[in-house]
Amino acid sequence: MTPHLFAASPNMPVFADASFVHIPRSLARRGRWRPVGAMALLAAGLLLGGPLQAQVSPGAQNGARTVNEWLTRMHEASRQRAYTGTLVVSAGPAMSASKIWHVCDGTQQMERVDTLTGTPRTTIRRNNEVITFEPETKTAFVEKRESLGMFPELLRTPSNLIPQFYSARETGVQRVAGHLADMVEILPRDELRFGYRIWSERQTGLVVKLQTLGEQGAVLEQMAFSELHLDASVSMDKLQRLMKDTRGYEVHKPVLKKTTAEAEGWRLKEAVPGFTAMSCHTRDAGAAQAPGTAPMQWVFSDGLASVSLFVEPFDPQRHGLEKAAAVGATHSVSKRVGDHWLTVLGEVPPSTLRRFALALERTR
């Protein structure tokens, strides 16, 4: 897996190395699909998001912030500071590190991410435009990532249900990467989603560490800055020049077609509480592809946690027995559904994925 396989929208980080993330190999090879992870979604919204207006409640003035107010403060911090740092990500036995340069002028956001472990890779993002350079293969992948309407945008809308499924509590102060940080836990109100422990730099609110929590508060995976320089000198012009310089690289532009599950002949016969359909795409393979056979990705979210349903035609040579897999907080279940093969993937408990798998049915 690669960092660009980890992200699906501008709400996702381009910096997280997802070498530990399981995704259907056939889809990864043929369609360059991108799983949408809750940890990734949180980190990107808090570190890399766009404008967001906070609504301060009386509780916040008394020092007790709500979950919305904590998320808003953390998100806004990314718009106030340029920074550089080294981010370390761990899940189970796997660990990776990346160097990050981030800058925002209030309207334009840019960052560059270089992997420090595993396969060399450089990813540069400007708002929703992303290019990933792979120097060993001299290949570059250019994408535009659609906003899924999730966090942080969801905090500004009446459909924000995050407080219905999560609560927040402050738990103390610790130093991370040389900076004092407030510790806050975002706790689930049911068993269908994981919780999060977040370290927010005291002066700016910038997220400097993030853990995904399982049963009884067990740490399933985490990302943290091992070094962080706030107000660093990061040149947006230089990043833009690097982004455009594809000399010597073979450039690929994966094409995804926006659609609906209904149009592709699928539905959920029973909703999973709190999760709303956010997007649906198929991989456009041109006229040579028979109608209704394009692999599909259907994304659901509760505003923080996300689940992707990958559906493709069943192939006995590539698809074996029904199975489940887990690395860190990322779980997946795979099974045959009629003439199709389904893989459900997300940073949620396995029971949540099984509810999606059992609810999916063919309508034609």
Side-chain angles (χ1 to χ4, degrees), residues 33-56:
W33 295 96
R34 287 147 192 90
V36 181
M39 191 174 193
L41 185 63
L42 262 174
L46 301 180
L47 292 173
L48 310 177
L52 182 65
Q53 296 299 318
Q55 294 182 352
V56 181

Side-chain angles (χ1 to χ4, degrees), residues 118-310:
T119 303
R121 192 173 292 108
T122 295
T123 302
I124 304 174
R125 179 175 79 95
R126 180 181 60 220
N127 296 331
N128 67 337
E129 299 175 357
V130 181
I131 184 167
T132 301
F133 295 94
E134 298 182 353
E136 288 187 347
T137 61
K138 291 297 181 181
T139 306
F141 296 90
V142 178
E143 307 166 78
K144 283 193 175 181
R145 294 176 180 165
E146 177 193 6
S147 171
L148 299 181
M150 295 182 287
F151 173 81
E153 286 94 336
L154 199 62
L155 293 175
R156 295 175 294 192
T157 70
S159 59
N160 173 21
L161 298 180
I162 292 175
Q164 182 175 331
F165 297 102
Y166 297 91
S167 62
R169 69 179 184 190
E170 189 172 352
T171 59
V173 178
Q174 284 187 352
R175 289 181 74 235
V176 178
H179 299 271
L180 281 178
D182 292 316
M183 297 172 59
V184 59
E185 291 183 344
I186 309 296
L187 302 174
R189 298 185 186 274
D190 59 24
E191 297 179 352
L192 294 177
R193 55 212 96 228
F194 291 136
Y196 307 93
R197 184 178 295 123
I198 305 173
W199 285 253
S200 172
E201 200 272 327
R202 298 211 81 184
Q203 297 300 316
T204 66
L206 188 72
V207 174
V208 293
K209 184 176 179 180
L210 170 66
Q211 295 177 337
T212 304
L213 308 177
E215 292 183 2
Q216 299 179 342
V219 177
L220 302 178
E221 63 186 58
Q222 62 183 322
M223 58 175 66
F225 283 104
S226 61
E227 62 161 343
L228 175 64
H229 303 284
L230 296 173
D231 300 323
S233 178
V234 182
S235 171
M236 186 172 288
D237 290 340
K238 182 178 180 180
L239 291 180
Q240 289 176 337
R241 290 194 299 270
L242 290 172
M243 191 174 192
K244 295 177 181 179
D245 187 4
T246 58
R247 291 173 296 177
Y249 281 79
E250 181 180 355
V251 179
H252 295 266
K253 296 182 179 181
V255 178
L256 299 181
K257 179 182 177 182
K258 189 173 183 178
T259 183
T260 65
E262 291 77 12
E264 301 301 317
W266 296 96
R267 76 180 183 104
L268 289 186
K269 56 187 175 184
E270 182 180 355
V272 179
F275 287 89
T276 302
M278 308 304 296
S279 74
C280 187
H281 289 86
T282 58
R283 179 174 55 85
D284 189 356
Q289 190 160 33
T293 62
M296 179 186 78
Q297 180 182 14
W298 195 8
V299 179
F300 291 80
S301 176
D302 66 359
L304 293 182
S306 295
V307 173
S308 286
L309 278 63
F310 300 94

Side-chain angles (χ1 to χ4, degrees), residues 313-336:
F314 177 77
D315 183 344
Q317 294 184 342
R318 292 186 294 110
H319 302 135
L321 300 175
E322 297 182 2
K323 59 184 179 180
V327 179
T330 302
H331 292 76
S332 70
V333 297
S334 300
K335 60 175 293 186
R336 185 172 179 176

